[in-house]
């Protein structure tokens, strides 16, 4: 049993497509917002996989760094979206 | 990659994809938040199996935080203005995106084209992004983060002022 870049890309594709589906399908915008971290997770998995399997010989850790940045950006986007939607009873 | 890492990769893949389907399909927000936490767990497992332990720890923390925010009952629901037909078209578009991305993953190198700088593909792109243009890409990513954090802070200040 082994893992290669194609398997990593398949998982990343599934996460991105599930996020896009959630963002498009949900009627409630705060529920649709939950699809954004899924798409970012797919991008992060692809970047870590590329670094793990394809970028040998180049500088390491950059793909991981982008994955961390994407995770932080996902939380920031969720916080921004929920902040824009407002709290219950604030208006 | 040894068998233990491969098993961990496939198990974590299943966990993260199941959580992603939960985020897309579960009806209640606490269930969606829990599903997003499951995605974070699976994502951390994926990163660990790909030898990215530090990224796994930070991704787990970030996704658990996002799950807590999504599950929180204190934020109001906003009904979208898009009609059912548009949402169905978007869902079909998501399925089409899966097909395109899966085909690209199957091809491995995304596209086989040659431009003046050499071969173009996932490997060449990663060399550009992670090596030659790493500083510029990081600067753009940091700028996006600052913009997001600033917009969140500005909106909260404006909401408090009302």
């Amino acid at each position: 049993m082994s893992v290669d870049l194609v398997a990593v890309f398949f998982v990343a594709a599934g996460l991105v497509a599930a996020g896009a589906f959630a963002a498009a399908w949900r009627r409630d915008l705060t529920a649709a917002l939950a699809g954004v971290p899924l798409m970012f997770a797919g991008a992060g998995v692809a970047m870590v996989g590329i670094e793990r399997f394809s970028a040998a010989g180049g500088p390491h850790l950059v793909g991981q760094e982008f994955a961390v940045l994407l995770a932080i950006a996902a939380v920031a986007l969720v916080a921004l979206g929920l902040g824009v939607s407002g709290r219950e009873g604030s208006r | 990659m040894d068998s233990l890492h491969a098993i961990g990769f496939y198990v974590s893949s299943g966990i993260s994809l199941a959580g992603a389907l939960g985020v897309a399909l579960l009806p209640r927000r606490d269930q969606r938040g829990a599903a997003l936490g499951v995605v974070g767990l699976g994502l951390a497992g994926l990163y660990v199996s790909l030898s990215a332990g530090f990224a796994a720890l930070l991704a787990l923390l970030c996704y658990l935080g996002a799950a807590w925010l999504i599950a929180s009952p204190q934020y109001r629901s906003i009904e979208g203005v898009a009609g059912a037909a548009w949402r169905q078209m978007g869902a079909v578009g998501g399925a089409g995106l899966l097909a395109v991305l899966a085909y690209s993953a199957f091809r491995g190198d995304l596209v086989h084209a040659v431009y003046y700088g050499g071969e173009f593909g996932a490997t060449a792109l990663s060399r550009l992004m992670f090596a030659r243009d790493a500083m510029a890409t990081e600067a753009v990513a940091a700028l996006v983060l600052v913009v997001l954090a600033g917009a969140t802070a500005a909106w909260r200040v404006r909401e408090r002022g009302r």
Side-chain angles (χ1 to χ4, degrees):
Chain A
M1 181 181 286
S2 66
V3 177
D4 56 0
L5 188 59
V6 175
V8 174
F9 278 167
F10 267 119
V11 177
L15 284 172
V16 170
F21 176 78
W25 180 249
R26 287 288 175 178
R27 185 181 293 120
D28 179 9
L29 291 184
T30 53
L33 195 66
V36 175
L38 296 182
M39 290 189 273
F40 279 22
V45 167
M47 287 196 170
V48 172
I50 286 173
E51 186 214 66
R52 174 76 170 78
F53 293 108
S54 286
H60 292 284
L61 299 175
V62 183
Q64 295 184 36
E65 186 180 336
F66 283 126
V68 169
L69 280 171
L70 280 171
I72 297 172
V75 180
L77 262 175
V78 169
L80 176 61
L82 291 176
V84 169
S85 74
R87 292 172 182 267
E88 288 283 0
S90 64
R91 287 179 186 172
Chain B
M1 180 177 280
D2 58 4
S3 294
L4 194 63
H5 278 89
I7 291 171
F9 175 84
Y10 288 115
V11 170
S12 302
S13 302
I15 291 173
S16 59
L17 289 175
L21 285 178
V23 170
L25 299 175
L26 287 175
R28 287 168 38 195
R29 69 171 61 183
D30 54 342
Q31 293 173 338
R32 288 194 297 272
L36 192 59
V38 170
V39 171
L41 281 175
L43 190 64
L46 279 173
Y47 286 167
V48 167
S49 65
L50 293 172
S51 309
F54 181 67
L57 179 65
L58 283 181
L60 182 63
L61 288 175
C62 289
Y63 277 80
L64 287 180
W68 178 71
L69 284 171
I70 293 287
S72 174
Q74 57 189 344
Y75 293 101
R76 76 177 71 198
S77 299
I78 299 178
E79 291 293 315
V81 293
W86 284 106
R87 289 191 296 113
Q88 286 174 1
M89 283 177 60
V92 172
L97 180 67
L98 175 63
V100 170
L101 289 177
Y103 177 72
S104 302
F106 183 69
R107 292 292 298 269
D109 244 2
L110 298 180
V111 294
H112 293 281
V114 176
Y115 72 119
Y116 64 90
E119 189 180 355
F120 184 79
T123 310
L125 198 61
S126 69
R127 284 201 192 99
L128 280 179
M129 281 181 63
F130 295 170
R132 202 197 72 163
D133 296 334
M135 185 63 77
T137 317
E138 285 176 19
V140 171
L143 188 64
V144 169
L145 274 183
V146 168
V147 167
L148 285 173
T152 308
W155 194 275
R156 295 305 296 263
V157 168
R158 182 181 160 187
E159 282 292 304
R160 281 185 191 158
R162 284 186 178 180

